[in-house]
Amino acid sequence: MAGEFGMDLPQRMEELLLSLPFERLQGIAGYYLVSSQMAKDKETLIHNILRQATSVNAMKDMGRSLGSKARKFMEEAIALFGLVKVDYAHKITDTSTIQSLSKKGLLFSHPDQRPEVYIIPLEVCIGIPKDELEPKSLLRAFYYYPADMVKRMARTLDRQYLQMNKLQLASTIYLDFIKQLPAFYRGLSEVERLILRTVFEYGRPMDVNELRSTPGLKHMTDGERYYSSWEDPVFAHFTPYSRRDKEISQVTKAAISLITKGLLAFKLDQYSSSGPFFVPNEVLPLIEEEYLKEREAITKGLESRLLAEPPPTYKSYASQILFDIIRTQIAIIGRDIRLTAQGEICDRSLLEMAKLLDRPEDYLRSILYSLKTLKRSDDKRFVLKKIETDTLGLLREAIFESALNGTLARILARWEGWLHLETLMAYLLNHNELFRYRTQLKAESLKGILQSFFLFGLIERGGEGDEVAIRVTPILHDLLAGKRQPATEVLVAKEKPLVIQPNMEILLPYNTEPKIINRLSLMANMTVIDRMIHMAITKDSIMKAYDHRLEPEEIKEFLSSLSKTPLPKVVEEFIGGLKEKKGEAVIIPCTGVIIIKGMTLAGKISGLKGLGIERVEGREDILLIKDTNPEKVLSALKKSGIFADMANKDVLGKSTKPSEIKALLHHAYHDDTPITLTCLFKEVPQDITVWIEDIERDYVRVYDPERNRTRKIPMERIKAAKKVEDDFQ
């Protein structure tokens, strides 16, 4: 017997199988049973099989069994309403995925269709679950609608569909709705048209309450009455278990009418209320055609009022923006620019840069935004690996990263001369080329974009009050034309770019190698950044070099190796003389002690107010910091003209007793005196004498003679001075 399913077994085997119970034979007997019924009533059998295969639960199970590749392909195909050209399908996925979907009955090709396409049945487009995404089309909205609601929509078409499950019925009426949508749209009432326009102009799914509170509709919601405080009348209308004999407003009636006609849709939440309303993609062309004509008429009327008289004065950054981007990069390389947790430049760093470059802060902030492609965030600092001289390229990347900015720039570039700002705003908000950005392009956001264009030098601005006008600059045309800045030759160390003058000033070209500028900034302060960079050697700058462990000879050697002329003798003496004075006061943060080398300084330092510094009886070379942070003391000493240093910050021990301070100080100068660690960490008894054997970067190795063993104490757990006891008790 050769059945419909290609089975061909000997007669005796066939009789044997048919005599056994179906549950034991499972699939084999099922095939024979289906074969015998196909011969008798083929149409009924196929209908029943399809009814079961396209049930909501069956489709959900099928969708959840798909792999990631198959699911991704199905998402794209469903967005194309289930029709995908064969060549495009093979571009977005592989052959094995298509074959797998075909075997599951989710996809097939029509041999007579030209061009050749893969077809995904509408039942599959509706039924494959995608709960995490909001629906955008009527086709996908049917997935969320209950069967009762789909039947109500079917009755709108004056047709009865019997013996169909939800997906079959939704697929059938979907095609009918597509044909009827133009007629439904033409026959809308005034209220229905207003609701549809309101949701459309909103640009994204609109909450029911937002719709009702719209100024043009709010007065039409009076008199609405429902039987429980949570019950939504739209939700109630499409839910079979809700009572419908209640009073509903004109707005609700119109919304229900639009939904049953397929012109409005929403994601139905069966546990609370109707979700946000949206205009389905299938309906958008009907509204857009009418809407775009209205916008075009508005812009045509505004064009005649756009041109303005040249203002008496105007402001523009066009002449300086390109070089200011280079100047800003130099400032970043030569300074410690701090960032906030959000990656924005700190206000203090921005203020210092504004003073150095003599430019407004908001202007510099926009320049820093253009440098984000070069930025490497490292330990909350703004770091540049190189100086990018193609400033037009940087601007293009920063501005045209947004498609909206690019479209706006192209529209502005078509106009020559001065334009009234207020008229231009209205013109742009109604421009059809910007229609797709209507959700993000509001009056305030448009002002922000135009302000950024102004700060980037793309437009210039003049006038006051209602007479403000703007004009496009050549830079905007250069950006749109794809122009780039020619590369600037970088001066390296062998070319000796420095000019060091006896007045402690250093001059160097702006295109000096960045690593030279960075190194030089450790020993000299930037004062001017232009075609020539001006830097000054000062007491503070040399002390900063010492803080970075640079010795006087290293500083002299570095400057001499890059100077076009021999290093002036006065500069050499100044650098060497500061080394002799360095360390007049040394702060040891681990014990809160200040070691003084100049005997006359004890009275001067202890007299500084607000630092809590105390003298030690009988000693002129030691002062104690009572409660103040050692870093604050160091800063105060430097400001008062005292050459102060901070000793190694690694904590060597802790004590509150004068007798123990001496031992700690001895160890700070590499003595072998044992140290008493008191309450340093929980696992050590209250008082224990240990030998500190070694100090590493991350820990201190100590020897405990009482227990005869060595242990490591993490450096982060060893705190300075008197705060240790509070931290660990």
Side-chain angles (χ1 to χ4, degrees):
M1 173 181 176
E4 289 285 336
F5 292 88
M7 299 181 63
D8 191 1
L9 298 174
Q11 182 68 30
R12 291 179 60 190
M13 180 64 72
E14 186 177 321
E15 293 172 355
L16 176 63
L17 291 173
L18 290 174
S19 66
L20 294 172
F22 282 117
E23 58 267 21
R24 289 181 59 187
L25 293 173
Q26 297 180 359
I28 298 176
Y31 284 134
Y32 276 94
L33 181 63
V34 170
S35 297
S36 62
Q37 290 189 11
M38 289 271 294
K40 297 176 182 178
D41 191 356
K42 193 172 185 177
E43 294 296 327
T44 302
L45 182 61
I46 291 176
H47 175 78
N48 289 335
I49 291 174
L50 288 176
R51 183 180 175 84
Q52 292 299 319
T54 58
S55 68
V56 172
N57 289 334
M59 281 295 159
K60 282 184 177 180
D61 292 340
M62 186 71 75
R64 288 167 183 148
S65 69
L66 296 177
S68 58
K69 284 186 178 180
R71 179 173 285 278
K72 186 177 179 180
F73 173 78
M74 291 293 285
E75 288 173 10
E76 291 206 35
I78 291 171
L80 298 171
F81 300 99
L83 297 176
V84 188
K85 290 183 179 179
V86 171
D87 55 350
Y88 178 71
H90 287 281
K91 285 182 182 178
I92 61 177
T93 193
D94 50 49
T95 304
S96 60
T97 300
I98 293 175
Q99 290 175 346
S100 173
L101 292 170
S102 179
K103 288 179 181 178
K104 293 178 179 179
L106 301 179
L107 172 149
F108 66 93
S109 60
H110 200 297
D112 299 329
Q113 183 74 33
R114 291 292 181 271
E116 192 176 357
V117 296
Y118 287 123
I119 300 173
I120 297 176
L122 290 178
E123 291 88 345
V124 176
C125 292
I126 298 171
I128 294 295
K130 192 63 180 171
D131 294 338
E132 63 271 22
L133 291 181
E134 291 291 333
K136 294 183 179 180
S137 64
L138 179 61
L139 183 67
R140 292 297 293 142
F142 277 124
Y143 172 79
Y144 299 97
Y145 292 168
D148 186 66
M149 180 173 172
V150 177
K151 291 177 183 177
R152 286 175 178 273
M153 295 179 71
R155 285 198 287 272
T156 304
L157 300 168
D158 295 328
R159 299 184 186 181
Q160 294 294 327
Y161 300 93
L162 303 175
Q163 297 182 343
M164 288 185 181
N165 61 28
K166 170 192 161 180
L167 296 183
Q168 288 176 320
L169 179 57
S171 302
T172 304
I173 67 172
Y174 174 74
L175 295 175
D176 289 338
F177 269 116
I178 296 301
K179 297 174 184 177
Q180 295 290 331
L181 284 177
F184 286 153
Y185 183 73
R186 288 192 298 269
L188 290 179
S189 68
E190 185 179 342
V191 179
E192 290 173 336
R193 190 174 293 275
L194 179 58
I195 290 175
L196 198 59
R197 175 63 71 91
T198 301
V199 178
F200 171 76
E201 290 181 349
Y202 194 70
R204 58 183 184 274
M206 191 174 193
D207 184 75
V208 177
N209 293 326
E210 287 179 309
L211 178 65
R212 289 174 179 154
S213 60
T214 302
L217 297 171
K218 190 174 182 180
H219 68 283
M220 301 183 192
T221 59
D222 298 335
E224 199 145 56
R225 180 173 64 86
Y226 18 135
Y227 288 96
S228 59
S229 59
W230 59 267
E231 194 172 37
D232 181 341
V234 177
F235 169 79
H237 181 83
F238 292 111
T239 308
Y241 54 78
S242 289
R243 297 176 61 181
R244 298 188 183 87
D245 55 339
K246 52 178 69 73
E247 296 175 8
I248 58 177
S249 68
Q250 192 177 0
V251 171
T252 301
K253 288 178 182 177
I256 292 171
S257 174
L258 288 169
I259 292 167
T260 54
K261 293 173 183 175
L263 294 169
L264 197 65
F266 65 99
K267 180 179 177 180
L268 188 66
D269 185 347
Q270 59 179 324
Y271 298 108
S272 59
S273 63
S274 54
F277 292 119
F278 65 93
V279 178
N281 288 339
E282 297 89 339
V283 182
L284 288 178
L286 298 173
I287 308 177
E288 287 177 1
E289 182 181 1
E290 179 182 290
Y291 189 71
L292 293 178
K293 286 181 180 178
E294 294 176 6
R295 287 167 62 97
E296 186 176 3
I298 294 173
T299 54
K300 287 289 184 184
L302 291 170
E303 284 179 358
S304 60
R305 308 202 310 268
L306 265 178
L307 294 177
E309 292 294 326
T313 60
Y314 65 91
K315 187 172 183 180
S316 174
Y317 291 112
S319 62
Q320 60 197 53
I321 180 68
L322 298 181
F323 188 61
D324 277 348
I325 293 177
I326 294 177
R327 294 176 68 218
T328 304
Q329 294 178 73
I330 295 171
I332 292 170
I333 290 171
R335 301 180 73 85
D336 184 17
I337 305 299
R338 295 273 179 169
L339 300 176
T340 64
Q342 292 74 33
E344 300 292 334
I345 187 170
C346 292
D347 291 340
R348 183 173 180 179
S349 293
L350 186 63
L351 179 61
E352 291 174 354
M353 187 181 292
K355 290 179 180 178
L356 174 64
L357 299 177
D358 192 24
R359 293 290 186 263
E361 293 178 44
D362 57 345
Y363 170 67
L364 290 179
R365 198 184 297 276
S366 67
I367 289 180
L368 290 170
Y369 177 80
S370 73
L371 297 175
K372 66 179 182 177
T373 54
L374 302 177
K375 183 180 72 173
R376 177 171 59 86
S377 182
D378 182 16
D379 190 27
K380 294 186 178 179
R381 286 173 171 82
F382 199 112
V383 180
L384 293 183
K385 298 179 181 179
K386 63 175 183 176
I387 294 178
E388 179 57 68
T389 57
D390 180 16
T391 49
L392 276 175
L394 287 176
L395 277 182
R396 186 179 297 105
E397 290 180 15
I399 296 168
F400 295 159
E401 179 184 31
S402 163
L404 166 59
N405 288 359
T407 305
L408 191 60
R410 283 188 288 273
I411 295 172
L412 290 174
R414 296 169 193 161
W415 292 89
E416 295 182 3
W418 290 93
L419 307 173
H420 280 293
L421 181 58
E422 284 193 14
T423 308
L424 178 66
M425 292 272 293
Y427 174 79
L428 294 173
L429 289 171
N430 287 281
H431 202 286
N432 283 344
E433 290 183 40
L434 296 170
F435 167 70
R436 71 180 73 177
Y437 309 108
R438 65 189 186 281
T439 59
Q440 59 192 104
L441 191 64
K442 305 299 182 185
E444 287 304 314
S445 60
L446 180 57
K447 283 182 181 178
I449 296 173
L450 292 177
Q451 174 67 6
S452 69
F453 279 18
F454 169 68
L455 294 174
F456 280 131
L458 308 189
I459 59 176
E460 45 202 13
R461 187 170 59 200
E464 296 180 355
D466 297 336
E467 299 301 320
V468 174
I470 68 167
R471 180 174 62 177
V472 172
T473 69
I475 291 180
L476 187 141
H477 292 285
D478 290 344
L479 293 180
L480 292 173
K483 290 185 179 180
R484 292 190 173 276
Q485 294 287 97
T488 303
E489 183 183 357
V490 176
L491 299 180
V492 295
K494 65 180 181 180
E495 297 175 83
K496 295 192 173 185
L498 305 188
V499 175
I500 304 176
Q501 300 179 340
N503 65 352
M504 305 295 171
E505 189 173 37
I506 302 174
L507 304 178
L508 61 153
Y510 79 92
N511 56 330
T512 301
E513 193 175 12
K515 67 179 182 181
I516 294 177
I517 298 175
N518 182 263
R519 180 80 168 173
L520 196 58
S521 66
L522 298 179
M523 56 195 74
N525 297 327
M526 283 188 179
T527 56
V528 176
I529 301 176
D530 209 318
R531 297 292 170 179
M532 293 296 291
I533 302 172
H534 296 235
M535 303 184 79
I537 299 174
T538 64
K539 181 185 74 173
D540 289 340
S541 68
I542 296 300
M543 295 301 293
K544 181 171 65 172
Y546 292 155
D547 290 340
H548 284 83
R549 303 181 187 278
L550 292 176
E551 294 297 324
E553 293 307 317
E554 291 181 85
I555 298 172
K556 294 175 190 177
E557 183 181 350
F558 176 76
L559 294 175
S560 298
S561 66
L562 296 172
S563 177
K564 294 180 182 294
T565 58
L567 193 64
K569 189 174 181 180
V570 65
V571 175
E572 287 190 44
E573 292 175 352
F574 180 76
I575 295 171
L578 290 178
K579 179 62 177 179
E580 296 175 2
K581 293 184 178 182
K582 184 177 186 291
E584 287 182 330
V586 179
I587 299 173
I588 303 178
C590 62
T591 57
V593 170
I594 304 175
I595 305 295
I596 302 172
K597 291 185 179 180
M599 296 301 179
T600 60
L601 288 177
K604 181 178 179 180
I605 295 175
S606 60
L608 295 175
K609 295 182 179 180
L611 296 179
I613 297 175
E614 296 180 351
R615 303 184 70 163
V616 178
E617 187 176 352
R619 301 292 294 270
E620 291 295 325
D621 59 336
I622 292 178
L623 295 173
L624 297 180
I625 302 172
K626 188 175 182 181
D627 296 312
T628 312
N629 187 309
E631 294 284 353
K632 182 179 178 182
V633 174
L634 177 65
S635 176
L637 293 182
K638 286 184 175 181
K639 287 181 180 178
S640 64
I642 298 170
F643 289 85
D645 290 312
M646 185 79 76
N648 194 326
K649 295 181 181 180
D650 297 342
V651 178
L652 306 177
K654 181 266 178 186
S655 174
T656 58
K657 302 176 183 178
S659 60
E660 292 178 339
I661 289 177
K662 185 176 181 180
L664 293 169
L665 293 176
H666 276 304
H667 187 80
Y669 291 99
H670 309 290
D671 202 336
D672 292 328
T673 307
I675 297 173
T676 300
L677 302 174
T678 305
C679 303
L680 267 179
F681 43 91
K682 293 180 180 179
E683 57 266 31
V684 173
Q686 287 291 327
D687 294 281
I688 183 170
T689 301
V690 298
W691 293 84
I692 294 182
E693 294 186 335
D694 192 17
I695 300 177
E696 300 289 344
R697 184 171 64 86
D698 298 322
Y699 60 85
V700 174
R701 189 189 301 277
V702 299
Y703 172 66
D704 181 351
E706 295 182 13
R707 301 187 183 184
N708 193 26
R709 67 175 184 174
T710 299
R711 67 171 65 196
K712 293 179 181 179
I713 305 174
M715 191 68 73
E716 74 230 17
R717 301 191 59 185
I718 303 179
K719 306 296 181 180
K722 303 176 182 59
K723 291 189 177 181
V724 173
E725 192 167 330
D726 297 331
D727 290 343
F728 288 93
Q729 276 189 334

